[in-house]
Amino acid sequence: MRLQKYALVFLTTSLAIGLTSHKAIAFSLSGDISSKTIAYKDAAGRPSTITVKRVINMTSKEATSNAVEIDGIRLEILVPDRVWRIPENQPNATTPVRIGFQIKNNTPYPIRFPPLDPLMVFPLEIMDANGKLLQRQGGRDILLKSPQLACPLVQPQESVTFFLKAQLFWQNNQLLFGGADGLGGGWSFDNLKPGNYQIRLRYISSRAVLFCDEPHMDEYKLTRGIWTGQMLTPLVNIRLVKS
């Protein structure tokens, strides 16, 4: 009896698919490798072995031009305007920038997320034309009571969309991009110049139990089951131009 050899090994594989809208979607599968060795005799009666490997604990990750999805949680950075006009270098001169994110639950179960905190949970990252990440400044002296501190429970196929309070402005003859976080603090990137940049959003959540602000309660509520993990959206091209 002849036994054919089959060995299938999945390490990490990716597949790029071009859509009719000319957007590219990348899929990747990853997991731990499990192997098993089977002894048998070949057609000539000689002893031989075959090792079969398979992937266990597989997780999936999907990325589009401005979104990433991990285990059914999709995070998208929203940048409707990719050309940002620099305001005049004058006191109180600013250019509002519309930038935000949407987090969607594509799992079959309700998922609870941490507060909508652009300083600690959903920080922005900016990269210059040379591929260098700009240093972000920011901090918070007090924590204000705000609806942003609620930990939203998102039902299957539903999403939460949030836009930051962001703007371009001048300070000490330096061009900055930043804003208030809505919770008593703020953030900024300084020493910007006209030219090309790339921007992305990071999700950081390491605590499954948090004190959340429920609108109908006077005190913070200890909330369990917060979705933990880290996500990083793809880089989105932006351009700063003089007015």
Side-chain angles (χ1 to χ4, degrees), residues 115-116 143-151 183 211-213 220:
L116 303 177
L143 183 63
L144 300 179
K145 187 176 177 63
S146 166
Q148 285 178 227
L149 290 178
C151 297
L183 299 171
F211 281 99
C212 301
D213 184 12
Y220 294 109

Side-chain angles (χ1 to χ4, degrees), residues 91-110:
N92 301 320
T94 65
T95 298
V97 175
R98 188 166 171 79
I99 186 168
F101 62 86
Q102 182 184 82
I103 189 163
K104 183 179 180 181
N105 178 13
N106 284 330
T107 76
Y109 314 103

Side-chain angles (χ1 to χ4, degrees), residues 14-159:
S14 63
L15 170 66
I17 300 176
L19 300 181
T20 56
S21 61
H22 303 289
K23 289 185 177 179
I25 298 180
F27 297 91
S28 67
L29 298 175
S30 62
D32 302 322
I33 302 299
S34 174
S35 62
K36 182 179 181 180
T37 300
I38 302 173
Y40 71 100
K41 292 184 179 181
D42 61 16
R46 293 170 298 191
S48 186
T49 60
I50 181 174
T51 300
V52 179
K53 296 185 178 182
R54 64 187 181 92
V55 177
I56 59 175
N57 301 325
M58 181 177 290
T59 60
S60 63
K61 180 178 180 180
E62 173 187 339
T64 64
S65 59
N66 61 335
V68 63
E69 183 170 329
I70 298 178
D71 295 338
I73 305 302
R74 184 177 189 271
L75 178 65
E76 178 180 6
I77 183 171
L78 305 175
V79 192
D81 187 1
R82 307 293 174 89
V83 178
W84 301 355
R85 299 199 172 275
I86 300 172
E88 297 292 332
N89 188 358
Q90 297 179 358
N92 301 320
T94 65
T95 298
V97 175
R98 188 166 171 79
I99 186 168
F101 62 86
Q102 182 184 82
I103 189 163
K104 183 179 180 181
N105 178 13
N106 284 330
T107 76
Y109 314 103
I111 300 291
R112 189 175 293 278
F113 294 102
L116 303 177
D117 184 347
L119 187 63
M120 305 299 295
V121 182
F122 296 95
L124 289 172
E125 295 182 353
I126 298 180
M127 185 178 294
D128 65 16
N130 297 319
K132 180 182 178 181
L133 283 174
L134 304 186
Q135 185 174 358
R136 187 184 64 140
Q137 311 290 335
R140 183 185 298 142
D141 294 329
I142 60 174
L143 183 63
L144 300 179
K145 187 176 177 63
S146 166
Q148 285 178 227
L149 290 178
C151 297
L153 181 64
V154 182
Q155 300 297 325
Q157 301 306 314
E158 294 187 358
S159 62

Side-chain angles (χ1 to χ4, degrees), residues 183-215:
L183 299 171
W187 53 273
S188 66
F189 298 89
D190 60 9
N191 203 27
L192 299 176
K193 310 289 184 183
N196 297 320
Y197 293 86
Q198 292 182 303
I199 192 166
R200 64 189 179 190
L201 185 81
R202 184 179 292 274
Y203 173 93
I204 307 171
S205 177
S206 60
R207 298 174 59 187
V209 180
L210 292 171
F211 281 99
C212 301
D213 184 12
E214 298 296 335

